Amino acid sequence: MSGVATHGAKASRPASGPVSLRDSPHARLYPLAFDEAEITGGMWGERREVNRRRLLPGAVGHLESSGNFDNLRAAAGQGSEPFRGPVFMDSDVYKWLEAVGWELGRHPDPELADQADRAIALIATAQQEDGYLNSYYQVNRPGEPFSNLAQDHELYCAGHLIQAAVAHSRALGDDRLVEIAERFVELIDATFRVAGRPGTPGHPEVETALVELYRLTGRRRHLELAAYFIDQRGHRLLGPGHYGPSYYQDHVPVREAREVTGHAVRALYLAAGVTDLYLETGEPALMDVMQAQWEDMVGGKTYLTGGLGAHHRDEAFGDRYELPPDRCYGETCAAIASIMWNWRMLLATGEGAFADLLERTLYNAFLVGLSCDGEAFAYVNPLQVREDHRDPVERGARRQPWYRVACCPPNVMRLLASLEYYLATADEGGVQLHQYAPGRLASDCPQAGRVALQIDTEYPWQGQVAVRVSDSPSAPWELALRIPGWSPSAELTVNGESVAVEQRAGYVTLRRAWRPGDEVILALDMTPRVLTPHPRIDAVRGCAALERGPLVYCIEQADLAAGVSVDDVRLDAAAPITEQPISDPVPGSVALRAGAVHDPAPRDPGAWPYLATNVVGPDGSSPAEPSPMSLTAIPYAFWGNRTPGPMRVWIPLAE
Amino acid sequence: MSGVATHGAKASRPASGPVSLRDSPHARLYPLAFDEAEITGGMWGERREVNRRRLLPGAVGHLESSGNFDNLRAAAGQGSEPFRGPVFMDSDVYKWLEAVGWELGRHPDPELADQADRAIALIATAQQEDGYLNSYYQVNRPGEPFSNLAQDHELYCAGHLIQAAVAHSRALGDDRLVEIAERFVELIDATFRVAGRPGTPGHPEVETALVELYRLTGRRRHLELAAYFIDQRGHRLLGPGHYGPSYYQDHVPVREAREVTGHAVRALYLAAGVTDLYLETGEPALMDVMQAQWEDMVGGKTYLTGGLGAHHRDEAFGDRYELPPDRCYGETCAAIASIMWNWRMLLATGEGAFADLLERTLYNAFLVGLSCDGEAFAYVNPLQVREDHRDPVERGARRQPWYRVACCPPNVMRLLASLEYYLATADEGGVQLHQYAPGRLASDCPQAGRVALQIDTEYPWQGQVAVRVSDSPSAPWELALRIPGWSPSAELTVNGESVAVEQRAGYVTLRRAWRPGDEVILALDMTPRVLTPHPRIDAVRGCAALERGPLVYCIEQADLAAGVSVDDVRLDAAAPITEQPISDPVPGSVALRAGAVHDPAPRDPGAWPYLATNVVGPDGSSPAEPSPMSLTAIPYAFWGNRTPGPMRVWIPLAE
């Protein structure tokens, strides 16, 4: 399917989706080949239909009205409009094109293909003779390329151009964007690596893209350019900027950076690139810092939802355990970047913890980023919005059809369009299932032969996953199924017979000579869970949260009786939690019912809110005694789809 | 003392300090006359000595090296240096001059006077023929005055120029700055009010200054210009900016604004100006919104320290009850602005609640802004800094000698230099003492005659305040003493005889025919207090704080044993709290000793920090059982003066 298989790559494995480890010597697992993973329904099938039918066509109008296309036209000499929007406007076009590429590879669509053709032709025309391509600089600052690496985003845009090119090449065999991208990359390479000019991108992204361009083309200098930028980072070449060099992860050399710091999306795109470099070079120092950063992130800088970024000011990680639910930034793009990084860490290590975090992020911090009706996107994703909040967009309480800084919407589109590539992998011995969705998977096992599987499940609403073998070689091979870390137990049958669940690194592995028609049924434990936070996470002390399966739940004002504020509810963690099918906002989903008390806050609005209880005693101004109530919690990802209003994931505990 | 008493003011009362209500018909209380309030020692006496000996002379070097003076020289045509620093650089010079004015009025100092003379001469030379004066615009954008009201700060700088002029006029009888200020104000008045040009300052400050200029000069058009800018605000003339119009308090007309919103310093300087306008006009709508805003602020947007501003991003108030201790912005300037506003509200109403909040802010959110040695200033004042924090300056964990945005240091100087004017007032019937410090106070009571008092106290370390009558008319008059809201009880004697404490609006009032030598002794209840927060203040749920007298306390890493993290301490609120004199960091101060337990957190740094306790039970990874310990808490204002390190005001409670 790849149109550039002739570039010299030793095609030991078939090309895949966004990450294609055809010759990566340090991978433990390999993505399935392009066209050999399919999602056929379920919740993700529905979201992908929304993407195909609504988001991708609708984005054309936004890119037109926001000026993204006009900027490229101006760069191409086709118009005289002044440049509009932030410096990285081109990247929105590229992300949309990447999504369209994956989608067209699956579903031919003449109208969408025509729109993509026109965009590609426009990009080709806008590109300079010397290969340079960035409409902001071409229109507003001609002759000054790469003059402000810290802020300019030219290399960031180049990264997204490359990723769009990869999609069109792998999914459609269309190398027009690859040619454009390689011409630009040649200029970048000559300007920096070949010339030995110091510099690294202010916003990482090109690193992971360059490694993928190497994987696509086999041209090693793309890998060397990625390594160059990674080597250059951490030497404070970018200057202090507004927030200090750690904002750009430029405060310490990459091989010494053991913490995730600064702007979350920057940190995670960089981590994806560093992990990609490790997959190709196997340099232990790179995996060592990636493991350390991942533990730093997971242990004290990740929200329950998988969301990342505790600061609005610099869209950045906070200190360890600084995880305010209300001021959680949790940018949708950071969730996507985390999914990208975790996928690469999984491929490098084979350890289920990375698939666990990927799943958590996908079902919560990412899924929340798109409204149920597909009309609007969230940029910021807090875990709490108070009664009487101000600034609903900044609070995350109202999704928007588009944004002036529109990084998130097309990022949602490209992940949805390529989601099937995150479900399963293969290795020498067999196939590994990481995420569960109804679909079909296939792989040519090197030691055995062709394997094909059909997955039936109502995941995430039900915990049962049926895996039917639809094709198998006669030789034995291994089927590995992830047991999510959230599932305290699991049951497994093969053709109706119970099998002991022996986990290793988060997977149960069944090795046998499979026959077509064999059926494995995995039953995960969907018991609703009550989560308590680490005692150092100050911001949610005395609270608990609810989860079921991969989903984090929240309470929303829309489910509370009139006169009961979401801010006055206290969870009775000892009361039973029951499951309840609901149809609003999402048909077929499951709510949780929990015991609680309504404890109305003192209502004197002007009174000093701190009470010296040891000398004056309680003030007794509470308007009512706490009263028992029943509480409905819905999946966090679906909040804000009914009457916009307050919400919280962490619920204070009743005393 | 005022050199402009001839300008037509009906001098019914003598001029005072920064707020001089000589003819304000709607005041309830009146500041004491200039030179009739004195602080003679104690904690504030020491801070004022530091101000006089170190801060004021030292500022000259900072203003020189940072470019403030050079900018004015460039505007004056005396140099060719490019403009340096932010657009409001001139205001730092004016705030320093204001402080120097008050200080020179008390303590002649030829060297400081010479420095002020040179600065005033430079300002006079920099002023344009037409009265315009702003070095940024004169150097960088000549011919474009008032072209960007939202961001330009020209009117903000004018406000500080006026306040410096007021100080030099009242304290020194020197009207050179008044002449400069009035020339500039005439230009502003002609440009906006007279011409009917829409506009209001992006950063309020000139409003309160213009009212004071009216009080100084009696020229009513200054009051009318203040009213004009206040009337213009709230009609979205400033545009959305980065943070929306509420950032500038421009989202709703002033007379409809019942909440404090947006940038805290802007909101509070504006409130001071609106209250000033009320004091002159008596317009009920103004006092109505001021009361509503004050209750909104106090009830859910003020930190225990009196600190204000919950957001770093926009240096702004958060939603109601959004009061994170770690990300508290609590800018030192916001504390100063709150003190200014509360003082005016007290003058307008006579209610002790305003003096209470002024005191809390003064002893905590303001006092913390200057290091004990006088070498460095805090800009941001959080209530918590974690172990292993990053960015100590942004975290407030390290004060700086000066800042690129240096609004806070000279603001500290001008408040310290004029602090005696915030201690006491007079009205028709007598004298009111609001803040307690060793000193001398005097007033000519309209109904009685000359009153003079001497105050002896070791406040805030001891609760006893001795007020000796040193001069008194023969007719009866009223001595009112504030009983702070934090004191659950108080004892009072007059000449050794116990007197019943009957409070009204926070004051006990003693009316009698006083004789020289009469002595009133007020004993406030200094019992250490354990504070619990309103249940909706999520960020400190399950915690308590300690207070004694007007001081909020904190625990600091420097007082903990090796191996005990400030983040692992739990307060035993039932254990007795004892007082302990300490000499470090401040001689003569009082620490508190409280019962606590050390509860080391689980230490697996890479483990997922949320535990499903209902399905898996506790993880038992805690390295040790909780162990009893004794805890030392020091006044919050003094933290960060020893080894810089973690700190917290709100301490989690032991279970």
Side-chain angles (χ1 to χ4, degrees), chain B residues 316-363:
Chain B
F317 289 105
D319 285 343
R320 201 165 166 78
Y321 302 118
E322 184 184 27
L323 291 164
D326 45 359
R327 285 299 271 186
C328 169
Y329 199 68
E331 187 181 335
T332 306
C333 282
I336 294 166
S338 175
I339 288 167
M340 291 172 60
W341 182 30
N342 276 287
W343 181 241
R344 287 158 177 78
M345 290 295 281
L346 175 64
L347 299 174
T349 65
E351 289 175 19
F354 302 105
D356 276 4
L357 184 57
L358 193 160
E359 177 183 61
R360 177 176 294 274
T361 310
L362 188 64
Y363 280 88

Side-chain angles (χ1 to χ4, degrees), chain A residues 302 320 534 538 605 609-610 648, chain B residues 302 320 534 538 605 609-610 648:
Chain A
T302 304
R320 201 167 166 78
H534 190 287
D538 297 284
Y610 310 100
R648 57 192 309 158
Chain B
T302 304
R320 201 165 166 78
H534 189 288
D538 297 284
Y610 309 101
R648 57 191 308 157

Side-chain angles (χ1 to χ4, degrees), chain A residues 424-497:
Chain A
T425 54
D427 66 3
E428 300 300 307
V431 173
Q432 302 80 39
L433 305 194
H434 306 289
Q435 308 299 337
Y436 299 118
R440 285 185 284 270
L441 306 169
S443 178
D444 289 311
C445 281
Q447 294 180 359
R450 184 159 186 79
V451 167
L453 303 173
Q454 170 153 340
I455 320 297
D456 289 299
T457 181
E458 291 181 54
Y459 202 85
W461 309 120
Q462 304 303 330
Q464 179 163 309
V465 181
V467 182
R468 185 123 33 119
V469 177
S470 44
D471 196 0
S472 176
S474 55
W477 55 275
E478 291 175 352
L479 174 64
L481 301 169
R482 185 174 64 96
I483 311 297
W486 52 256
S487 184
S489 65
E491 293 176 4
L492 196 64
T493 63
V494 177
N495 297 328
E497 285 181 29

Side-chain angles (χ1 to χ4, degrees), chain A residues 625-638:
Chain A
E625 285 297 298
S627 52
M629 60 175 286
S630 178
L631 200 58
T632 298
I634 67 161
Y636 166 75
F638 300 155

Side-chain angles (χ1 to χ4, degrees), chain B residues 110-451:
Chain B
E111 195 169 333
L112 201 55
D114 182 56
Q115 285 164 332
D117 276 349
R118 275 185 282 150
I120 293 169
L122 175 58
I123 292 163
T125 311
Q127 187 168 37
Q128 291 180 181
E129 281 296 314
D130 64 357
Y132 186 81
L133 178 57
N134 181 283
S135 70
Y136 172 78
Y137 268 75
Q138 290 173 263
V139 172
N140 276 7
R141 299 175 62 186
E144 300 178 50
F146 311 121
S147 54
N148 182 4
L149 285 186
Q151 304 297 335
D152 63 9
H153 285 69
E154 289 151 298
L155 299 171
Y156 167 87
C157 291
H160 283 299
L161 170 65
I162 293 167
Q163 290 178 329
V166 166
H168 283 254
S169 179
R170 290 196 181 134
L172 301 164
D174 178 346
D175 283 346
R176 287 176 295 169
L177 282 171
V178 174
E179 282 168 29
I180 295 168
E182 285 209 282
R183 281 182 59 206
F184 192 13
V185 168
E186 274 170 38
L187 176 70
I188 296 168
D189 196 38
T191 304
F192 291 95
R193 187 183 64 90
V194 176
R197 171 174 160 181
T200 199
H203 195 313
E205 156 65 24
V206 77
E207 300 84 349
T208 185
L210 282 167
V211 177
E212 207 60 41
L213 189 62
Y214 157 69
R215 292 173 183 148
L216 180 76
T217 64
R219 292 201 174 104
R220 193 156 186 93
R221 63 181 174 189
H222 299 328
L223 182 66
E224 288 165 0
L225 182 57
Y228 183 79
F229 285 137
I230 287 170
D231 292 348
Q232 292 275 303
R233 186 170 294 274
H235 301 283
R236 301 179 182 241
L237 295 173
L238 297 169
H242 288 92
Y243 308 116
S246 64
Y247 172 79
Y248 311 103
Q249 300 78 43
D250 192 33
H251 58 306
V252 61
V254 167
R255 288 167 183 80
E256 299 166 26
R258 306 190 70 79
E259 298 176 9
V260 286
T261 59
H263 188 268
V265 179
R266 282 172 166 80
L268 297 167
Y269 280 165
L270 175 64
V274 171
T275 309
D276 271 326
L277 185 60
Y278 166 81
L279 282 162
E280 301 308 322
T281 67
E283 184 187 339
L286 295 178
M287 181 47 61
D288 182 48
V289 294
M290 287 294 96
Q291 289 274 8
Q293 286 186 29
W294 193 85
E295 290 185 8
D296 179 60
M297 180 176 88
V298 165
K301 297 176 181 174
T302 304
Y303 285 92
L304 187 65
T305 57
L308 298 160
H311 290 180
H312 276 240
R313 175 172 172 267
D314 42 2
E315 309 181 356
F317 289 105
D319 285 343
R320 201 165 166 78
Y321 302 118
E322 184 184 27
L323 291 164
D326 45 359
R327 285 299 271 186
C328 169
Y329 199 68
E331 187 181 335
T332 306
C333 282
I336 294 166
S338 175
I339 288 167
M340 291 172 60
W341 182 30
N342 276 287
W343 181 241
R344 287 158 177 78
M345 290 295 281
L346 175 64
L347 299 174
T349 65
E351 289 175 19
F354 302 105
D356 276 4
L357 184 57
L358 193 160
E359 177 183 61
R360 177 176 294 274
T361 310
L362 188 64
Y363 280 88
N364 300 285
F366 169 73
L367 185 57
V368 72
L370 176 62
S371 68
C372 292
D373 63 10
E375 297 289 349
F377 301 87
Y379 196 113
V380 172
N381 297 291
L383 279 70
Q384 176 185 6
V385 176
R386 285 187 179 75
E387 188 182 280
D388 302 326
H389 60 274
R390 293 194 153 266
D391 306 319
V393 174
E394 196 204 301
R395 297 282 169 192
R398 197 169 298 154
R399 298 178 182 88
Q400 296 285 291
W402 204 253
Y403 289 85
R404 202 189 84 86
V405 173
C407 48
C408 296
N411 223 356
V412 168
M413 296 175 205
R414 69 181 186 135
L415 182 59
L416 282 176
S418 57
L419 193 62
E420 63 267 51
Y421 303 113
Y422 295 87
L423 302 183
T425 55
D427 67 1
E428 301 299 307
V431 173
Q432 302 81 37
L433 304 194
H434 307 288
Q435 308 299 337
Y436 299 118
R440 285 183 285 271
L441 306 168
S443 177
D444 288 311
C445 280
Q447 294 180 359
R450 183 159 187 80
V451 165

Side-chain angles (χ1 to χ4, degrees), chain A residues 256-280:
Chain A
E256 299 166 25
R258 306 190 69 80
E259 298 176 9
V260 286
T261 58
H263 187 268
V265 179
R266 282 172 166 80
L268 297 167
Y269 280 165
L270 175 63
V274 172
T275 309
D276 271 326
L277 185 60
Y278 166 81
L279 282 162
E280 301 308 322

